[in-house]
Amino acid sequence: DVRASRRFLGEARKAAGQTGGFAAADVAAGIGRVAKHVLLPGGASTVDVLEPARTLRDAAFEFVDAPATIEGVKVGGSASKCRFLAAPMQDWAPPSQKYDVIWAQWCVGHLTDAHFLRFLQRCRTALKPKGVLVLKDNCGESSSTDECFEVDDADRSICRGRAYLEALLALSGAELLCTALQPVAGEEAFPADIYPVRSYALRWVDGVT
């Protein structure tokens, strides 16, 4: 997961024309795994770690700061570059043009379509002109909108089908920069018995509604 995410981050930033350090947000961050293993090693100068659960948020500082080596890259010792914010994604109200990268992983399946579209519009406002939103989540590979989603009662979430998810993204006015399916074979393969996982890099162009 980490290796694929780091590669996708680089591809997304290149497609958006970004260079150098960047300001990022890790949405529904848990203990900050994406911030520590992907965004900060990828060149983020600052990361807002957004997590509403106090227990996870309190653990995030120590986790992000603890030294480790993941996929051959030294990580940790970077909590000073982060802000740890109590911000539920469905209510998050970020300031305008603050971030170069917003990363939301395994969380939009917990939003209704209406909340999801409002979240996308808030991300649009929060991104800088070359900013990108990365969504990485469970995604059914059906090409038919008839197979809209599957409900996971245990996890209290849904897995949207690819056609349905991409229709929602288009409805938000987002431009798709690139997308990638997590491999199902090789060193980066996820278990075969879980939902497919797909990454999207999105941006919004001025004047698109």
Side-chain angles (χ1 to χ4, degrees):
D1 176 56
V2 168
R3 188 187 306 134
S5 291
R6 287 175 179 169
R7 183 175 63 251
F8 191 77
L9 173 63
E11 293 171 356
R13 295 193 66 221
K14 181 178 180 180
Q18 293 184 19
T19 57
F22 60 97
D26 181 4
V27 177
I31 61 171
R33 188 180 63 85
V34 169
K36 178 176 181 174
H37 293 164
V38 180
L39 297 173
L40 289 164
S45 52
T46 61
V47 181
D48 283 351
V49 180
L50 311 171
E51 173 50 53
R54 182 175 179 178
T55 53
L56 294 175
R57 197 170 61 253
D58 289 347
F61 180 92
E62 291 185 9
F63 177 77
V64 172
D65 217 38
T69 300
I70 303 296
E71 290 297 320
V73 176
K74 292 184 178 181
V75 297
S78 302
S80 61
K81 295 183 179 181
C82 301
R83 296 194 306 163
F84 300 85
L85 306 176
M89 63 184 301
Q90 67 270 25
D91 300 324
W92 180 43
S96 177
Q97 296 191 13
K98 178 176 176 62
Y99 302 108
D100 300 288
V101 175
I102 298 173
W103 192 287
Q105 181 163 338
W106 283 322
C107 54
V108 298
H110 293 278
L111 297 179
T112 66
D113 288 352
H115 278 123
F116 183 30
L117 287 170
R118 288 197 288 270
F119 170 73
L120 292 173
Q121 290 306 315
R122 290 196 298 272
C123 289
R124 175 182 183 172
T125 299
L127 289 170
K128 297 178 183 180
K130 292 184 179 181
V132 295
L133 167 65
V134 174
L135 299 177
K136 185 171 185 177
D137 218 300
N138 299 335
C139 181
E141 284 299 293
S142 172
S143 61
S144 171
T145 53
D146 292 336
E147 300 178 27
C148 296
F149 54 81
E150 294 183 38
V151 178
D152 187 335
D153 289 325
D155 195 39
R156 305 297 296 173
S157 67
I158 62 172
C159 173
R160 294 179 174 92
R162 181 177 180 182
Y164 188 70
L165 174 59
E166 292 180 1
L168 290 174
L169 299 178
L171 190 60
S172 78
E175 174 189 353
L176 178 60
L177 290 175
C178 51
T179 184
L181 181 66
Q182 186 77 25
V184 294
E187 293 182 352
E188 294 177 10
F190 276 11
D193 59 346
I194 68 171
Y195 290 122
V197 175
R198 181 168 287 277
S199 299
Y200 290 90
L202 309 161
R203 72 174 177 185
W204 285 265
V205 179
D206 289 343
V208 176
T209 58

